[in-house]
Amino acid sequence: MSELTARDVVAVHRLEFPFWVNDVCQSSWGACFAVTAASQLFQAPVLLAIAANFLLIAGGLALNSTADISTDERHPERGSLAHAARRLGKVRGTRWVSFEFAVALALCAVVSVWTGRWIPTAMAVAMIGLQVAYNVEPLRWKRRGFLGVIAFCTAVVGLPCVLSYGAVGAEMSAPVALVFAGLTVLAIGRMTWWSVPDIGADAATGMATPGVRYGAVRALAFACAIMAAGAILLAWGMFLGYGAAASMLAAAAHVVFLVAALGLLRRVHRGLTASSVRMRKRSMPLVMVGDLVVAALPLLA
């Protein structure tokens, strides 16, 4: 076995900036909306739930990295990721991810026993199930267009929100449920947007992502429409729960991101190609800002 470097570990878990910040936000959003004071975030069950969420999200991304080696090797901008995943290897990668999932499940079980609430453990099991269905044969839902996108985004956004919310034990209100739904729908739109630079490599390996199924222009049009719906749900939930100012602040960065996605749609329609490197460096920081704002607003309310 080749020796892994710290850079390899970061790469296979997709922890490059700004993605690790997004992962932290996704891990903690539920708790941020459930607590009545920021100090409650530092209670042991809440911290354990957030840590479990992070392991489940990062572990799922590592599983995806090992499952997509042959696809990423065909992608002109994914060479470093493919090399890192190849050094990790599928067997060692499966063991690594299994260990991360097992630790996360154990943390959730501790939270459930500690609090008497089994929602965190149930959500962890569901997250693992969706990640396996998305990445592992014979299911391999990545081949199934929007089914795979919805499953993946539910596993890394929607269910983590419920998991850490359940660790606090508050009853979820309708506005908070709308916020979580909006964040999940936004992620579905972004993942559809993200599939466009991967069309060639995905098509070559039989991955029927939205980009492959509908082509770059239609996939970007779908992505923009889905993100618009997600922004509306997010703004609506924040308005009902926290007022107009919070609603506008929560949606602002995501709306700016949507405008940038519309710009990409126009450029691709004119025949230009999309670059995942440029998308990560120029557009994803907007999502990071939006995610941080969403985490902060309920704590400041």
Side-chain angles (χ1 to χ4, degrees):
M1 289 186 184
S2 57
E3 185 176 350
L4 284 176
T5 67
R7 182 172 294 182
D8 292 334
V9 174
V10 168
V12 297
H13 288 86
R14 312 291 177 88
L15 295 176
E16 305 95 335
F17 180 84
F19 294 138
W20 68 267
V21 181
N22 301 115
D23 292 351
V24 171
C25 290
Q26 290 157 208
S27 299
S28 57
W29 273 332
C32 290
F33 280 88
V35 299
T36 56
S39 59
Q40 290 179 302
L41 291 175
F42 300 99
Q43 294 178 349
V46 178
L47 288 175
L48 291 176
I50 292 171
N53 262 340
F54 191 87
L55 281 173
L56 290 166
I57 293 169
L61 292 169
L63 178 62
N64 180 249
S65 296
T66 58
D68 278 357
I69 291 174
S70 60
T71 299
D72 290 334
E73 285 178 334
R74 290 170 169 80
H75 196 295
E77 296 179 314
R78 300 278 171 81
S80 60
L81 172 59
H83 290 322
R86 182 67 70 185
R87 283 192 290 273
L88 177 64
K90 288 195 174 183
V91 173
R92 184 163 56 174
T94 299
R95 291 173 180 168
W96 192 316
V97 170
S98 298
F99 175 75
E100 291 173 342
F101 283 171
V103 171
L105 268 176
L107 293 177
C108 287
V110 170
V111 172
S112 293
V113 171
W114 194 323
T115 63
R117 295 182 289 272
W118 288 94
I119 288 178
T121 302
M123 293 302 101
V125 171
M127 288 169 69
I128 293 170
L130 288 177
Q131 291 282 17
V132 170
Y134 179 78
N135 288 295
V136 178
E137 301 288 0
L139 293 176
R140 196 63 159 119
W141 285 358
K142 185 176 180 179
R143 302 182 189 275
R144 299 181 179 274
F146 276 111
L147 173 63
V149 175
I150 292 168
F152 183 86
C153 293
T154 300
V156 300
V157 177
L159 296 184
C161 288
V162 179
L163 191 158
S164 60
Y165 196 98
V168 177
E171 183 177 349
M172 188 179 296
S173 65
V176 171
L178 280 173
V179 169
F180 293 166
L183 292 168
T184 305
V185 173
L186 279 166
I188 292 168
R190 285 195 304 272
M191 189 171 176
T192 305
W193 165 85
W194 191 257
S195 74
V196 171
D198 302 347
I199 288 175
D202 284 335
T205 51
M207 298 297 127
T209 62
V212 172
R213 286 197 172 190
Y214 304 110
V217 173
R218 289 180 67 193
L220 283 171
F222 283 136
C224 291
I226 294 167
M227 285 189 284
I232 290 169
L233 287 172
L234 172 61
W236 185 18
M238 292 298 296
F239 175 77
L240 293 176
Y242 300 93
S247 175
M248 290 186 288
L249 286 170
H254 296 289
V255 171
V256 174
F257 180 92
L258 174 58
V259 172
L262 287 168
L264 178 62
L265 170 59
R266 289 194 294 270
R267 293 192 297 275
V268 170
H269 189 265
R270 294 200 301 266
L272 300 178
T273 58
S275 165
S276 58
V277 173
R278 288 197 298 271
M279 290 162 72
R280 176 174 69 86
K281 291 182 177 180
R282 297 181 182 181
S283 299
M284 287 307 296
L286 287 170
V287 179
M288 179 194 73
V289 171
D291 288 354
L292 287 169
V293 170
V294 170
L297 283 172
L299 301 176
L300 298 173

